[in-house]
Amino acid sequence: MSSPSQPPRSALVAKLTRPVARPLAATYRWVDERMGISDLTHQLLYEAVPRRGAWSYSLGSATLIIIVLQIVTGMFLLWTYVPSTTEAWESLNFIEHHDEFAAIVRGMHLWGAYVLLFVIGLHMIRTFVSGSYKKPRELNWIVGVILFLLVLGLGITGAMLPWDQAAYWTATVVTHVVDYIPFFGNWTQEILRGGPQMGPETLTRFFAIHIWLLPALLVPLIGLHLILLRRHGEHGSWVNYEGVESETEGERATRMAEAEYPYPAVPSDPGYAVPMDLDDFFPSQVFKDATVSFVLVLIIFVMAVVVGAPLERAANPAALNYVPTPEWFFLPLDQLLVQFPQAWMIPVGVFVLPGIGTTLLMLVPFLDRSPEREPWRRPEVMVPALFAILFLIFEALLAVNRLFNL
Amino acid sequence: MTPPTLVAAASPHLVAIPISTGMATALVALLMLTHIQFAAFQQGGYIILAVTDFIGWKGKDARKDRFSKGLVTVLGATFAFGSTLAIFATLILFLGLWSQFFVELVRIMFWPLIVEAIAFVGEIICLYTLYSQWDKLGRVRPLRVGLELLLFINASIQMLAINVVASYMLTPRPSNSLALNLLNPTEIPLELHRFVGNIAFDGAMIALVGGIRLLLAKGPEGKAYGDWIGHYGLVYAVGFTIAQPLIGWEYAKEIQLHAYASWYSMMLGGLSVAFLFQVFLLGAIFTVGIFYLWRRVRASGFRAPTLAVCAALSFASWLLIATPSSLAWSYEDVVAANANVPIWQGGLIIPWGQMIPFKLVALIVFTGVAIVAVTVYLKHVSKGELRWGDAGRGQAAALITVAIAISLMMALMGYIREHSRAPFLITDKVLINQQQNFNPPSSAGPALDGPAGVGIIMPWDSGP
């Protein structure tokens, strides 16, 4: 605390920083008058969010932060990586042995992808359990599923880029699998391989898909996802709607009338347009989002430094005894393949069953149309979903055991 | 110091315990099958305890609180008996009757067994703290639930350790690498099979108690509680059994790949008939279980037509395709009947894992129908349509039947698994008839004389 004879500290700080602060403030005002930064910031930060269960809502923001991290680390890798079958492996080998910073960046890109898929999975489970896909948020769920599929696509195409043994044989398997697509299989295979056989063009095509095609689809869809989120507001967890069933018409009307932006969500099931208790996005939710994102980025960094990203021997098409193992997020699919006889393996294991699963996932909002949000009152979706998740976990574990004993 | 096995091998004056191999095998089998039932009850019970106590706490449900307290009391008592059986098995039967096997097992699996022993101590501490301080711990509910989870983790570690041993006995790796032997080809499938099976078994035992309580209840309150316990246990029993056919199928595929003789014995050979009886029991569990779900909803005054269809489908499947009478006993019988041709040529062979098709079709029907039935039943429960106490003697009988079927199935599975390795106790390593002749185990010989002392495989050992 300052004594009466001394000026207050804030006044002192203001006096000392005045030479810098004044021109900065003037510059900001000049830019703001022309670009409307204050209004935009206000729009972005000042909205209402559900109060209860807020930590679990940070998974969406964390996903966005990690995607940004992937873009940034990917840009750094482009400085060194050469997308050619003769130099791709050499360039990464150089990074691993002669450029410590780039090796960490490469590790962060790999572990960022792993953590991203894990966080997206948790985000989807959270959204599913809380029934957040229900009216009016059906489209946002579908966009989310497409985003998940795109990230899986980024994962598999990214795994091919090092052009080491793992990458080469992964590319071989993937381009072999697409041959089974009815009518268009051979055509698709040639498009991806750049010819009837694996060759130099295969790598450049997957490189283009990884850094241009998929991000070009991903970024606008993320924008759409956020716009839809802001339009309807965060639904949150079912705990934010406890008591809506016993609410009187008058109480509900008052709640709707007093709702802060962006609520009430319309069209909505009665009682579910506005959470019972709201909080400010800034600073309350932003703090939680930042904390979770920071922890995840820290984990990614530590894993990048401690474990790093593997690089096997350079691709050797003649090494026929090499056994390719899939990335962990494709382990359930890999295990599914061995459940079927040879003739059915790829058509059923890769296309029919995963196709049915993906379609059902997309259609969840239209299959579960009841207004009920509490998970234990929705066994018609929760029980099959529980079995589906257990099935994926079990298949992944069984795949690990099988691949370990090959 | 000379290892004890070498002393035995070098001393022809030592005589075996005067008991035949058959009698020794029968004694070990009887004790182990009983022990497995208790161990399964403990492991499955701990997770059901933690879940029930947690949802009872969050939902302020006095009935679940009462159930949790009852369950921890029973678990305390059964743990005492089950662990006594285990110690008796180790000290008397394994060391006395199957010493060759036990020495070989400890040599290879020393570290997993040490881990199991440590987790056993952890289980004792957690369980008896809960058992003796239940009400006091109730004042700090997160601590009690945390302790229950810790108890479950301890039991799971023990199960993992013993599954490593059991799976190794069926599919050992020809290597001194501890990692390879730990994660041998059937370890994870067995782990999953038992993890899910233990919860289903525990649910069935809870359903059994519910059924008996229903039959013996004097007043409406006792009947309501018995009815609820029966329902609660049966949902676990049938719900978790749903996953078993698929996990079992994948388990069988690994056995087919890595221990073909055992697989052949189980699926097509002499044990095929026992396996067919397994499918029969599985059919009983699903059919009677779904029948219970349907009749239980009906008892509260709701028609539940979907459940009726599920019960009918399951019964038809059980009657027509899962009963042993409609199946060939072994592959030799199939060959004798000239039916070893594809099914589309009038035979019994399908291209899907060489299984006899009826069995496979039955498993698929049971699994699909049971998922629908459990889901529909839980929907009725979630709507609050069931009044506890409405169940009658028919439902009580169904609960008891499911419990007996699951218990029998577990015992039969143990019988099949152990006999599939015959004449080996450890596939290709230790013979069952070596146990009483005090010859050093064939594969242990070099290791006993080697630089590793008594030949215990260490975590850092690798290679063949």
Side-chain angles (χ1 to χ4, degrees):
Chain A
M1 198 174 175
S2 57
S3 66
S5 59
Q6 290 176 323
R9 182 174 291 178
S10 57
L12 187 65
V13 170
K15 194 175 177 182
L16 288 172
T17 56
R18 193 174 296 152
V20 181
R22 273 192 175 172
L24 271 179
T27 309
Y28 175 76
R29 271 199 305 278
W30 188 89
V31 176
D32 190 30
E33 282 165 6
R34 282 150 187 82
M35 291 186 68
I37 293 172
S38 295
D39 287 347
L40 186 64
T41 311
H42 196 270
Q43 274 185 12
L44 288 175
L45 291 181
Y46 294 93
E47 65 157 355
V49 289
R51 183 182 294 275
R52 298 179 65 190
W55 282 101
S56 65
Y57 314 146
S58 60
L59 292 168
S61 304
T63 303
L64 182 62
I65 294 294
I66 300 171
I67 287 174
V68 172
L69 181 76
Q70 289 302 93
I71 292 170
V72 172
T73 51
M75 283 174 175
F76 271 105
L77 287 175
L78 284 176
W79 289 359
T80 312
Y81 176 76
V82 184
S84 119
T85 49
T86 52
E87 291 174 73
W89 185 85
E90 289 291 345
S91 60
L92 293 182
N93 195 43
F94 174 81
I95 285 176
E96 288 302 313
H97 294 101
H98 303 288
D99 189 344
E100 284 182 21
F101 174 74
I104 292 173
V105 169
R106 182 167 172 256
M108 288 184 75
H109 198 65
L110 178 80
W111 284 98
Y114 290 170
V115 173
L116 177 61
L117 280 159
F118 185 70
V119 172
I120 291 179
L122 289 181
H123 181 50
M124 289 180 80
I125 290 171
R126 202 282 299 166
T127 308
F128 182 87
V129 171
S130 61
S132 300
Y133 51 78
K134 297 196 175 200
K135 199 163 68 175
R137 300 176 178 85
E138 300 96 326
L139 280 177
N140 218 11
W141 169 264
I142 293 171
V143 172
V145 173
I146 296 171
L147 284 170
F148 174 62
L149 296 175
L150 288 175
V151 171
L152 277 179
L154 281 161
I156 193 76
T157 51
M160 298 171 192
L161 300 187
W163 215 245
D164 57 359
Q165 281 286 69
Y168 177 83
W169 290 104
T170 301
T172 306
V173 171
V174 169
T175 52
H176 176 69
V177 162
V178 296
D179 190 33
Y180 284 81
I181 298 173
F183 310 115
F184 305 105
N186 195 254
W187 179 79
T188 314
Q189 188 187 49
E190 289 206 12
I191 290 282
L192 289 175
R193 284 184 171 176
Q197 304 296 329
M198 294 277 291
E201 273 197 64
T202 312
L203 177 61
T204 51
R205 290 193 179 197
F206 278 111
F207 176 70
I209 293 169
H210 185 74
I211 71 152
W212 289 115
L213 181 63
L214 294 178
L217 296 169
L218 187 82
V219 173
L221 281 172
I222 290 172
L224 181 60
H225 200 59
L226 292 174
I227 288 168
L228 289 171
L229 176 71
R230 295 303 293 253
R231 179 174 165 76
H232 304 299
E234 174 74 61
H235 173 266
S237 169
W238 69 93
V239 292
N240 291 289
Y241 301 89
E242 280 174 355
V244 292
E245 286 164 0
S246 56
E247 220 177 13
T248 63
E249 287 292 324
E251 286 170 339
R252 185 168 296 168
T254 309
R255 195 156 60 85
M256 299 296 153
E258 292 175 354
E260 290 179 56
Y261 173 82
Y263 302 105
V266 282
S268 173
D269 295 313
Y272 292 98
V274 186
M276 299 291 264
D277 199 5
L278 295 170
D279 202 353
D280 294 326
F281 178 68
F282 179 80
S284 180
Q285 186 66 41
V286 169
F287 169 75
K288 295 180 177 76
D289 289 359
T291 306
V292 171
S293 299
F294 175 76
V295 169
L296 290 172
V297 172
L298 191 67
I299 289 170
I300 291 167
F301 178 75
V302 169
M303 294 306 286
V305 172
V306 175
V307 183
L311 183 67
E312 294 188 12
R313 290 182 179 180
N316 177 11
L320 297 176
N321 59 347
Y322 181 81
V323 181
T325 52
E327 290 283 357
W328 64 268
F329 43 88
F330 280 110
L331 284 173
L333 190 62
D334 189 67
Q335 182 67 14
L336 197 59
L337 286 177
V338 300
Q339 307 306 321
F340 297 98
Q342 193 76 21
W344 299 6
M345 190 169 82
I346 293 176
V348 180
V350 176
F351 296 111
V352 177
L353 287 183
I356 291 172
T358 308
T359 309
L360 286 175
L361 196 62
M362 288 248 195
L363 293 178
V364 158
F366 308 104
L367 297 172
D368 177 24
R369 301 180 65 132
S370 73
E372 196 58 68
R373 258 60 170 188
E374 290 187 21
W376 43 89
R377 290 189 181 175
R378 297 187 284 131
E380 63 275 24
V381 288
M382 293 303 296
V383 172
L386 186 67
F387 275 110
I389 290 170
L390 282 179
F391 175 72
L392 292 177
I393 294 171
F394 286 177
E395 290 291 283
L397 289 171
L398 290 165
V400 169
N401 201 158
R402 181 174 53 80
L403 293 167
F404 187 77
N405 283 287
L406 281 176
Chain B
M1 190 177 159
T2 313
T5 320
L6 290 186
V7 173
S11 309
H13 305 298
L14 288 176
V15 290
I17 295 169
I19 189 168
S20 70
T21 301
M23 182 60 80
T25 307
L27 271 173
V28 173
L30 182 68
L31 195 85
M32 289 318 293
L33 289 177
T34 313
H35 169 66
I36 285 172
Q37 302 244 339
F38 276 91
F41 182 74
Q42 298 301 129
Q43 208 262 345
Y46 296 151
I47 188 66
I48 292 180
L49 174 68
V51 168
T52 312
D53 200 22
F54 178 76
I55 54 178
W57 165 38
K58 287 293 173 186
K60 297 180 177 62
D61 187 339
R63 191 166 39 214
K64 291 194 178 71
D65 291 346
R66 178 184 170 187
F67 172 78
S68 301
K69 187 172 181 177
L71 185 58
V72 84
T73 309
V74 173
L75 286 167
T78 49
F79 174 77
F81 187 69
S83 49
T84 305
L85 281 180
I87 292 164
F88 181 74
T90 307
L91 294 181
I92 309 296
L93 296 185
F94 284 153
L95 286 177
L97 303 178
W98 282 7
S99 51
Q100 304 281 2
F101 159 74
F102 199 67
V103 168
E104 173 73 349
L105 203 62
V106 171
R107 188 184 76 81
I108 299 163
M109 290 293 163
F110 180 78
W111 292 106
L113 292 170
I114 286 288
V115 169
E116 192 197 0
I118 293 167
F120 184 70
V121 174
E123 184 182 3
I124 292 170
I125 293 168
C126 293
L127 180 59
Y128 285 107
T129 306
L130 284 164
Y131 182 83
S132 61
Q133 305 296 321
W134 182 261
D135 292 325
K136 283 183 187 169
L137 285 167
R139 292 178 214 145
V140 195
R141 208 62 181 267
L143 178 67
R144 192 165 86 187
V145 174
L147 210 54
E148 287 158 0
L149 280 176
L150 199 60
L151 179 60
F152 170 67
I153 290 166
N154 269 298
S156 300
I157 291 170
Q158 286 179 71
M159 188 182 74
L160 176 71
I162 212 67
N163 284 347
V164 164
V165 173
S167 57
Y168 167 82
M169 287 164 67
L170 182 61
T171 51
R173 294 295 299 263
S175 164
N176 264 358
S177 159
L178 189 62
L180 281 173
N181 281 311
L182 290 185
L183 202 61
N184 66 73
T186 54
E187 206 292 312
I188 296 286
L190 178 65
E191 189 69 31
L192 296 177
H193 207 44
R194 277 194 172 162
F195 180 82
V196 171
N198 288 353
I199 300 174
F201 175 74
D202 208 88
M205 292 304 109
I206 292 165
L208 175 71
V209 173
I212 294 170
R213 272 177 169 267
L214 259 178
L215 291 176
L216 301 179
K218 300 287 183 205
E221 195 202 341
K223 195 177 177 194
Y225 188 56
D227 186 13
W228 179 81
I229 289 182
H231 132 89
Y232 192 65
L234 195 99
V235 168
Y236 280 105
V238 175
F240 278 86
T241 304
I242 290 171
Q244 290 294 63
L246 182 68
I247 300 172
W249 157 266
E250 304 212 25
Y251 184 19
K253 278 190 83 78
E254 290 302 319
I255 298 173
Q256 185 185 22
L257 279 172
H258 298 279
Y260 187 80
S262 297
W263 177 86
Y264 188 90
S265 169
M266 282 192 284
M267 293 296 171
L268 305 172
L271 289 168
S272 173
V273 61
F275 223 92
L276 295 179
F277 194 64
Q278 282 288 84
V279 181
F280 173 78
L281 287 173
L282 195 68
I285 292 163
F286 281 125
T287 305
V288 179
I290 294 169
F291 184 80
Y292 166 87
L293 300 178
W294 171 46
R295 298 307 298 175
R296 183 60 198 81
V297 176
R298 287 275 295 176
S300 286
F302 294 89
R303 289 182 59 81
T306 313
L307 283 174
V309 171
C310 288
L313 272 175
S314 188
F315 182 68
S317 176
W318 188 32
L319 200 66
L320 297 173
I321 54 183
T323 48
S325 60
S326 65
L327 295 168
W329 295 99
S330 72
Y331 189 68
E332 281 75 12
D333 297 323
V334 177
V335 173
N338 293 321
N340 58 329
V341 290
I343 193 164
W344 51 87
Q345 291 174 17
L348 283 172
I349 304 302
I350 59 167
W352 207 341
Q354 289 191 356
M355 285 176 77
I356 298 167
F358 305 113
K359 207 158 52 175
L360 188 65
V361 173
L363 293 179
I364 293 170
V365 172
F366 288 144
T367 306
V369 165
I371 289 177
V372 175
V374 170
T375 305
V376 172
Y377 176 76
L378 288 177
K379 189 69 187 174
H380 284 285
V381 175
S382 73
K383 285 181 181 171
E385 290 175 352
L386 270 65
R387 287 185 309 271
W388 304 120
D390 285 347
R393 298 179 71 83
Q395 282 91 73
L399 292 169
I400 295 167
T401 307
V402 169
I404 292 170
I406 287 192
S407 180
L408 273 177
M409 197 170 176
M410 189 177 271
L412 188 59
M413 194 66 242
Y415 171 85
I416 292 170
R417 190 182 57 245
E418 295 307 310
H419 282 76
S420 71
R421 291 192 308 267
F424 293 101
L425 274 176
I426 300 175
T427 304
D428 296 334
K429 282 179 182 280
V430 177
L431 284 162
I432 198 163
N433 61 12
Q434 271 181 343
Q435 297 310 307
Q436 295 292 302
N437 61 8
F438 289 102
N439 284 327
S442 54
S443 61
L448 287 169
D449 299 329
V454 292
I456 289 168
I457 294 182
M458 306 302 281
W460 49 85
D461 285 344
S462 62

